[in-house]
Amino acid sequence: MSRKYDLTPATIEEWMEEARAGMENQLRARPKDIAAVYEEKIKAMKEVMGELTLENIAFL
């Protein structure tokens, strides 16, 4: 199926993980605010971007 839509297995796995996390959050007695969930993701992405930027600077 991933070939049919030109998707990598990693992309599909990422989507599945996001779906699981969303379902788990909805089943909690006190689900996290959607904004808080996205803030956590943004923070993690910024950390990765910072690391990659430093690697690229060191490469130059």
Side-chain angles (χ1 to χ4, degrees):
M1 182 153 206
S2 62
R3 288 182 188 162
K4 181 178 178 180
Y5 296 103
D6 196 29
L7 299 169
T8 65
T11 299
I12 294 173
E13 289 175 17
E14 182 180 337
W15 289 350
M16 293 295 294
E17 182 58 35
E18 288 177 8
R20 276 190 218 104
M23 287 185 274
E24 181 181 307
N25 187 42
Q26 292 301 314
L27 293 172
R28 290 184 179 164
R30 295 188 319 165
K32 291 182 181 179
D33 180 43
I34 294 297
V37 171
Y38 284 118
E39 288 298 323
E40 288 177 14
K41 287 184 179 186
I42 289 170
K43 182 180 177 184
M45 287 183 209
K46 285 181 178 179
E47 289 175 6
V48 170
M49 287 173 54
E51 291 172 11
L52 293 173
T53 300
L54 290 175
E55 287 179 15
N56 285 330
I57 290 171
F59 182 72
L60 296 175

